Amino acid sequence: MAAEDIAQLADCLAKANVGDGELSFKGKTLKLNTAQDAEEVIREIEEYEGLQALRLEGNTVGVEAAKAIAEVLQRKPDLKRCHWSDMFTGRLRPEIPTALRSLGDALITAGAQLTELDLSDNAFGPDGVRGFEALLKSPTCFTLQELKLNNCGMGIGGGKILAAALTECHKKSSAHGKPLALKVFIAGRNRLENDGATALSEAFRLIGTLEEVHMPQNGINHAGITALAESFKANSLLKVINLNDNTFTEKGGVAMAEALKTLRQVEVINFGDCLVRSKGAQAIASALKEGLHKLKDLNLSYCEIKADAAVSLVESVEDKSDLEKLDLNGNCLGEEGCEQVQEILESINMANILGSLSDDEGDEDEDDDDDDDDDDDEDEDDDENDDEEVEEEEEEVEEEEGGDNENKEKSKEIPCLSGSAPASPPKLPVDASTFLSFPSPEKLVRMGPRRSAMIAQQVNVADTEKVVQAFIQVSSVYREDGEIKAAVEETIDGLMKEAFENRGFQANVFITSLLVQMGLLKSEDKMKTIPHLNGPLLTLNHMVQQNYFPKSLASTLLAFISKPNGVLENNASARHTLLCNLHNL
């Protein structure tokens, strides 16, 4: 048999794909701008009989290519699963809604009955939700079971649009005799905040069939958490609740505990880094004692829980025979508290379920008890829209306390009362070595207007590796706050302009080393990579737009930033912004 015949036979067998009916272009890094660019993709879709699942992840699809693909999808009524995450890399945000609308309209025309729609890691914002709003409201989504919108930058507005679309889908499908029975909802890292979460909670309450809810890192405070808790009571089949890295405080913790008491199927609870604190933890312990017998995984790490509450938690899991993992790391148990928790679990033959306690913060003595702490936090939650604003407010207060050297004589002196501690001295300006040793946004701001020159003087710009380290240290404190953002960009401009102009500086080595440090390029040497890439990516985005940046380096950056890579998944918005500017160079 000729080689051509063998290849043709293999191609036919691959297309037959008798198993799951899936056609995948996942991770091929295809750049589909025009209909001509998409010809091969269109041909394979057209020839695939009984297409049930289409994977387009890890490619970049423009408006014209999306329209061309949509034409062939109009003839694919069997399509059930659309895996369309991370498929708009490098696209301008206004392009994405139009492309989504074309693809969605095609599915509606085909009469497809979707069971899964995954649009995660597409930084489309609120307008992007408008792009698939009609699809969600249509009969095509009456059968939807899984909706995945992780890391899409929807914001409050997008959350409200999504909630309204799901509500209408449920009402329309109910009128047809088969209500929407959504099982999995994923929308982490979307800055939904209280209003977005509250709107979605109304939709959840109406749907009532959810089995998994994943909404980590959304800036939700106790008001939004309480609304979600109420909606969970209406979803008796819930198995997985992931609200990691939101802010419960006591009110949210207690409200969620009350919801947990009504649920019988829960297997996974992830409230890590949620500031549940001791009273919230005590309430959750009470819920554990009353039920949750199917629980397999409980994460309450980094929640400022003290020893007494931790003891209550471990005592409450004694009859949880299915429990495989308990994470209490990063709390405030103290050495004795850690030992007590371990001893209790050993006594009930469950020592193996406890995760590491290596990051325990210790049993710190505080002037205020938990009541005061919780009240303070709740007041802040009411006043602030998200955690970043709270941090910014605290930094402004610190700066006011530190004072300006020129205005010290104008500040009011506070008399020291007999028996009371003297007022804290004003904070002194920070030098470059102090900042580089322990970087923080507040320190960079306090360095003052000469910060750029101070950093450049401290770092030997002829030493490429030292410049890489300085870049990482400065970019790590990047915030969207105007003053901090300006301070970071100004400092980077001063440092990198001098570096790129220095004959001893190796620009290519700088880019390569930076990519290694960011975990985007493998190194033969074992090294710890940067844990959070948002700041470095946005700082890079600023740097590549400056006149001092050699445009010849853009292609290297573009190649690695556009490649599918797990470490970039949680930073889709920053990645998208950088890619747009790299494409324009």
Side-chain angles (χ1 to χ4, degrees):
M1 186 180 287
E4 295 161 2
D5 295 331
I6 293 172
Q8 187 176 5
L9 177 60
D11 190 46
C12 291
L13 289 171
K15 285 181 175 56
N17 204 0
V18 179
D20 56 6
E22 178 178 288
L23 177 60
S24 176
F25 299 94
K26 181 179 180 180
K28 292 184 178 292
T29 63
L30 302 174
K31 190 173 182 180
L32 310 178
N33 294 323
T34 65
Q36 186 175 359
D37 295 335
E39 281 180 354
E40 180 63 24
V41 172
I42 292 167
R43 182 183 65 80
E44 290 196 38
I45 294 173
E46 181 72 67
E47 294 177 0
Y48 200 116
E49 296 182 8
L51 180 64
Q52 295 184 29
L54 178 61
R55 290 190 172 275
L56 293 173
E57 310 104 305
N59 299 290
T60 176
V61 182
V63 172
E64 294 306 315
K67 288 180 179 177
I69 293 170
E71 288 183 14
V72 68
L73 288 180
Q74 292 178 7
R75 298 184 291 278
K76 297 296 173 181
D78 297 326
L79 190 60
K80 299 184 186 318
R81 301 186 302 279
C82 296
H83 302 281
W84 294 349
S85 64
D86 189 22
M87 59 178 265
F88 296 112
T89 299
R91 300 295 167 186
L92 297 175
R93 184 169 286 185
E95 294 182 75
I96 301 175
T98 305
L100 285 173
R101 199 170 288 113
S102 296
L103 295 168
D105 288 348
L107 298 178
I108 296 170
T109 301
Q113 299 285 293
L114 292 186
T115 58
E116 181 178 356
L117 176 61
D118 186 356
L119 294 172
S120 299
D121 300 319
N122 291 309
F124 46 59
D127 291 340
V129 185
R130 292 283 188 200
F132 61 93
E133 179 184 16
L135 174 63
L136 283 180
K137 294 177 179 179
S138 74
T140 294
C141 284
F142 287 0
T143 50
L144 195 63
Q145 295 179 12
E146 300 183 27
L147 178 59
K148 302 175 181 179
L149 299 168
N150 200 55
N151 199 28
C152 293
M154 290 189 290
I156 295 172
K160 290 181 175 180
I161 297 168
L162 177 62
L166 288 172
T167 299
E168 186 166 339
C169 180
H170 185 271
K171 289 180 179 177
K172 286 182 175 179
S173 58
S174 297
H176 281 73
K178 194 172 182 181
L180 171 67
L182 191 66
K183 293 181 179 180
V184 177
F185 179 84
I186 301 176
R189 294 182 60 84
N190 272 291
R191 302 307 303 170
L192 295 170
E193 301 182 20
N194 287 339
D195 289 348
T198 300
L200 284 166
S201 70
E202 291 299 314
F204 294 166
R205 188 170 54 80
L206 189 65
I207 292 168
T209 55
L210 288 168
E211 295 180 11
E212 295 186 24
V213 174
H214 302 261
M215 297 174 66
Q217 294 184 302
N218 269 297
I220 307 170
N221 297 326
H222 68 79
I225 296 297
T226 300
L228 288 172
E230 288 299 313
S231 73
F232 291 167
K233 293 177 182 178
N235 288 267
S236 60
L237 300 177
L238 266 173
K239 294 179 181 179
V240 179
I241 305 174
N242 177 7
L243 296 174
N244 186 282
D245 200 7
N246 289 292
T247 308
F248 281 45
T249 67
E250 177 190 348
K251 282 187 178 179
V254 170
M256 192 57 69
E258 289 301 311
L260 291 174
K261 290 178 181 179
T262 69
L263 301 173
R264 297 287 179 267
Q265 306 301 321
V266 176
E267 297 177 2
V268 178
I269 296 174
N270 186 347
F271 298 158
D273 204 11
C274 282
L275 206 67
V276 170
R277 288 197 166 153
S278 293
K279 289 194 174 179
Q282 292 279 14
I284 292 171
S286 176
L288 284 165
K289 286 180 180 179
E290 295 184 23
L292 298 171
H293 295 291
K294 295 185 178 182
L295 190 64
K296 295 180 179 179
D297 189 336
L298 174 61
N299 184 350
L300 287 170
S301 59
Y302 302 94
C303 282
E304 294 192 6
I305 297 169
K306 294 185 180 179
D308 289 348
V311 167
S312 296
L313 282 167
V314 295
E315 288 176 342
S316 68
V317 303
E318 183 175 2
D319 62 342
K320 305 297 180 288
S321 57
D322 291 338
L323 190 61
E324 299 170 357
K325 184 179 178 182
L326 173 62
D327 193 347
L328 294 174
N329 201 16
N331 285 299
C332 307
L333 311 188
E335 186 175 348
E336 290 184 7
C338 289
E339 291 176 358
Q340 191 175 2
V341 163
Q342 291 166 336
E343 287 171 2
I344 293 171
L345 288 172
E346 286 173 3
S347 70
I348 56 177
N349 297 317
M350 297 181 74
N352 60 313
I353 70 169
L354 183 64
S356 170
L357 297 175
S358 59
D359 288 344
D360 188 74
E361 296 290 337
D363 186 10
E364 299 177 357
D365 293 327
E366 298 178 355
D367 294 333
D368 299 321
D369 60 16
D370 281 354
D371 287 338
D372 295 332
D373 288 340
D374 284 335
D375 289 342
D376 290 342
D377 280 320
E378 287 156 12
D379 290 339
E380 284 182 359
D381 292 342
D382 289 335
D383 293 335
E384 304 297 331
N385 287 329
D386 55 48
D387 298 336
E388 290 180 0
E389 291 179 4
V390 173
E391 290 173 5
E392 291 163 11
E393 182 178 275
E394 290 170 352
E395 289 165 5
E396 290 169 4
V397 170
E398 288 175 352
E399 290 167 14
E400 289 170 6
E401 289 174 351
D404 188 320
N405 286 334
E406 296 177 0
N407 296 325
K408 281 179 183 176
E409 68 275 10
K410 297 180 183 179
S411 64
K412 295 181 180 179
E413 294 184 2
I414 302 175
C416 181
L417 300 179
S418 176
S420 64
S424 299
K427 293 182 179 180
L428 298 175
V430 175
D431 59 26
S433 61
T434 301
F435 168 78
L436 292 172
S437 298
F438 300 99
S440 75
E442 189 248 348
K443 285 179 185 175
L444 187 64
V445 170
R446 278 171 50 203
M447 285 180 71
R450 293 193 66 254
R451 64 180 71 86
S452 177
M454 292 163 66
I455 294 287
Q457 289 171 6
Q458 183 72 22
V459 178
N460 178 9
V461 294
D463 189 328
T464 306
E465 289 302 322
K466 287 186 177 178
V467 176
V468 172
Q469 291 304 317
F471 181 94
I472 291 169
Q473 288 163 315
V474 174
S475 65
S476 70
V477 306
Y478 185 99
R479 301 289 186 275
E480 289 296 342
D481 168 82
E483 185 177 18
I484 298 168
K485 178 182 177 183
V488 169
E489 293 176 348
E490 172 194 319
T491 305
I492 287 297
D493 287 342
L495 173 68
M496 298 312 303
K497 185 176 187 298
E498 187 169 333
F500 284 123
E501 291 175 353
N502 188 287
R503 291 184 179 180
F505 181 71
Q506 298 173 289
N508 287 317
V509 174
F510 169 80
I511 294 297
T512 302
S513 181
L514 186 60
L515 289 168
V516 169
Q517 296 275 5
M518 294 172 71
L520 305 180
L521 181 61
K522 290 184 179 180
S523 170
E524 294 180 1
D525 301 323
K526 290 183 179 180
M527 62 172 60
K528 188 176 181 181
T529 56
I530 306 169
H532 305 292
L533 293 186
N534 190 65
L537 287 171
L538 291 174
T539 305
L540 267 175
N541 177 62
H542 168 78
M543 183 180 74
V544 301
Q545 298 177 70
Q546 307 310 308
N547 292 331
Y548 62 74
F549 178 73
K551 301 301 184 279
S552 59
L553 300 176
S555 58
T556 304
L557 276 175
L558 185 60
F560 285 93
I561 301 297
S562 60
K563 272 178 76 173
N565 194 309
V567 298
L568 290 170
E569 289 180 1
N570 291 331
N571 300 277
S573 180
R575 178 195 196 187
H576 175 76
T577 302
L578 173 57
L579 284 172
C580 286
N581 284 309
L582 287 172
H583 278 293
N584 291 333
L585 290 179

